[in-house]
Amino acid sequence: MSEKRPVDAAGAVALIGVAALLAFNQVVIKVTGGGFGPIFQAGLRSTLGAAFLLVWMRAFRIPMSLPAPARTGALLVGLFFSVEFMMLFIALDLTSVSRVSILFYSMPVWLALAGHMLLPGERLTGRRMVGLVLAMAGVALAFSDRQSGAPSLVGDLLSIAGAMCWAGIALTVRVTPLSETRPETQLLSQLAISAPVLLVASVFFGEYFREPTALHWGGLFFQSIAIVCLAFLLWFRLLATYQANGVASFSFLSPVLAVLFGWILLGEQIGPAIWGALGLVAAGIYLINRR
């Protein structure tokens, strides 16, 4: 197995591109929500994403089956994935992209805390502890600001709950045999489990359609193809090529770009507290991930 190399110029450009796509996706979810109920939208996205991923895997002859020891882990991450996006899509339906992004991308905080308590090799170093404190201060500042970005207490809480579920996925993969399977197979299991879970859950959570137009359908297909498949697959390829700590250190860009996109494209009103919270969370994420 070849040794992974540090992130070079080409890798940095690709990582910035992936971060921008993931950030822009928050705006797309918000806009697409004008045509679909939030949970129904999430269920459709998982369904279409699974279909496109199946075609991709068949075209490149990537194994689709999971070994028996990995199936329990796959079920857990599929359920975490379902709840994560249920929380995220409802939160984006209730409040602004800027607020949701800052709180949702606090995921490394919860993963670092869980890893410190549960994984012997993930103890918090001095630098990571500083990052944790900064990011937590940013979350607290964003949560306390009730003026900027259409604040919603329920939306804020759901954003944090979604971040915790996201951390649960990463932790489950690390501690189960699922970590030994291909990333594409892991992603397929999450989509295949979340699609029926979310579609069934949508029965109990309001409307399915909100008079969708071509814009809303386009946003749904953009999420399913450009994000669920291509962006995630590119991220996996970058992780396979470059050192993991270098790749992870670019994750601070996603909340920064998401807030900027919400401000520029949606005209969201962002007060000084939200900008301050964004700076704290971004700095904290960088320090937590940079080894």
Side-chain angles (χ1 to χ4, degrees):
M1 181 180 294
S2 60
E3 184 178 353
K4 296 180 182 179
R5 61 180 187 267
V7 176
D8 53 21
V13 170
L15 285 164
I16 292 170
V18 171
L21 270 177
L22 295 177
F24 182 64
N25 186 50
Q26 305 291 317
V27 174
V28 174
I29 293 171
K30 180 78 172 177
V31 173
T32 306
F36 305 94
I39 298 180
F40 187 59
Q41 180 192 170
L44 289 177
R45 188 187 80 150
S46 285
T47 302
L48 291 171
F52 288 121
L53 185 57
L54 279 170
V55 172
W56 175 282
M57 294 176 70
R58 182 174 291 276
F60 290 93
R61 298 182 179 180
I62 299 171
M64 301 179 190
S65 60
L66 279 169
R71 291 173 187 169
T72 300
L75 177 61
L76 286 174
V77 297
L79 294 175
F80 272 128
F81 189 88
S82 303
V83 178
E84 173 193 347
F85 284 97
M86 189 183 302
M87 302 295 101
L88 175 62
F89 277 59
I90 295 175
L92 284 167
D93 201 49
L94 294 174
T95 187
S96 65
V97 168
S98 56
R99 296 188 69 87
V100 171
S101 298
I102 291 171
L103 298 172
F104 182 70
Y105 279 102
S106 67
M107 183 278 272
V109 172
W110 314 113
L111 181 59
L113 285 172
H116 179 76
M117 293 184 290
L118 301 175
L119 302 176
E122 294 290 334
R123 306 291 293 179
L124 288 171
T125 62
R127 179 192 295 178
R128 298 184 78 208
M129 184 67 76
V130 171
L132 188 69
V133 171
L134 289 176
M136 287 293 285
V139 169
L141 182 57
F143 198 84
S144 64
D145 176 37
R146 311 317 299 170
Q147 303 298 321
S148 304
S152 164
L153 178 60
V154 174
D156 289 352
L157 291 173
L158 290 177
S159 300
I160 294 174
M164 290 179 175
C165 289
W166 185 6
I169 292 174
L171 187 64
T172 302
V173 171
R174 289 188 187 184
V175 301
T176 68
L178 188 62
S179 60
E180 300 172 8
T181 62
R182 291 183 63 106
E184 297 91 343
T185 309
Q186 295 177 30
L187 179 58
L188 180 61
S189 65
Q190 293 174 51
L191 294 171
I193 292 170
S194 65
V197 170
L198 290 167
L199 290 176
V200 170
S202 68
V203 175
F204 305 98
F205 289 92
E207 72 266 75
Y208 303 114
F209 297 101
R210 298 171 173 173
E211 300 182 2
T213 65
L215 175 65
H216 302 124
W217 285 106
L220 183 64
F221 277 91
F222 174 84
Q223 294 176 57
S224 304
I225 301 173
I227 303 299
V228 173
C229 291
L230 299 183
F232 287 170
L233 291 173
L234 177 56
W235 179 263
F236 293 144
R237 177 60 59 88
L238 291 168
L239 278 172
T241 303
Y242 298 106
Q243 294 173 357
N245 62 336
V247 174
S249 67
F250 277 79
S251 61
F252 80 94
L253 287 173
S254 288
V256 172
L257 293 173
V259 171
L260 290 175
F261 287 150
W263 178 45
I264 295 170
L265 300 177
L266 300 179
E268 293 183 352
Q269 299 300 312
I270 304 174
I274 292 297
W275 289 117
L278 174 63
L280 289 169
V281 169
I285 291 173
Y286 182 83
L287 291 174
I288 289 170
N289 285 328
R290 187 71 183 177
R291 302 294 180 88

